Amino acid sequence: VAFVRFDSARTSRFEIGYRHDRQGSHMDTIYRDKFDQTAHAVTAKREWVGGGTLYRASADLQTMQYRNRTGASNRMTGDLSFATVKSMGGWQSAAMVGSRYTKSFKALPYALATTIHQSAKSFLHLSVGYTERAPTQHELFLPYNVSTFQSAGIYADSGNIGLSSEKQLIGTVRGEYGTLDDAIGFSVASGRIRDAINWVRFSDSN
């Protein structure tokens, strides 16, 4: 649910809302486990126009309960962000900065900058972004579980309470020159991930 209000000139907009999420997975055949997530979130946003620039500020607060067969874990997350969008000449640019606060992981900053230039015969897009994310409660607290599959043998999985936050930096450049019928273009993307969070496959002969 959300409440939205505009000013008389329709140049600013304020929104405050509440969101409830609930999902669950219950497995009781070969792989036996159960997972439930319940979240409550309050969001406040304001958008306004000034000097030919669109601005947006937002704040979110969320509580999440993750429950598996061995117990429950509660997490509180906060998010603050500020974004701008501006058009000038043939350029359109946008930028966003923000930070999330997650219990046990403190501040997790993120930022994005992108710009586009377009004319009758050319197109150029540049972007760079950085983000940090905390591991999910499932990735942290999944209890050790082992099952036997006839086709694959023994399968086991487990979370890792020692995970750190994941850091990702990525940049892209894309350009085109020509007409709709005859054009040449290029695209380059590069990035780096530190402390990547991923499921690791391992085997144990014992």
Side-chain angles (χ1 to χ4, degrees), residues 85-164:
V85 179
K86 185 176 182 63
S87 295
M88 185 171 60
W91 293 91
Q92 295 177 321
S93 301
M96 178 176 63
V97 295
S99 182
R100 301 181 187 92
Y101 177 87
T102 301
K103 181 182 178 181
S104 302
F105 290 91
K106 299 183 179 180
L108 302 167
Y110 58 91
L112 170 70
T114 183
T115 186
I116 295 175
H117 182 271
Q118 191 168 6
S119 65
K121 290 188 176 183
S122 65
F123 173 84
L124 179 64
H125 179 207
L126 309 172
S127 67
V128 62
Y130 175 81
T131 185
E132 293 187 22
R133 80 168 183 93
T136 66
Q137 290 163 286
H138 186 71
E139 292 166 335
L140 289 169
F141 304 118
L142 173 66
Y144 179 78
N145 195 1
V146 60
S147 304
T148 302
F149 295 85
Q150 291 182 352
S151 60
I154 296 176
Y155 172 82
D157 57 10
S158 175
N160 180 2
I161 60 173
L163 290 172
S164 302

Side-chain angles (χ1 to χ4, degrees), residues 15 26-27 45 90 118 132 145 206:
E15 175 183 331
H26 293 192
M27 294 159 283
K45 304 176 184 177
Q118 191 168 6
E132 293 187 22
N145 195 1
N206 297 322

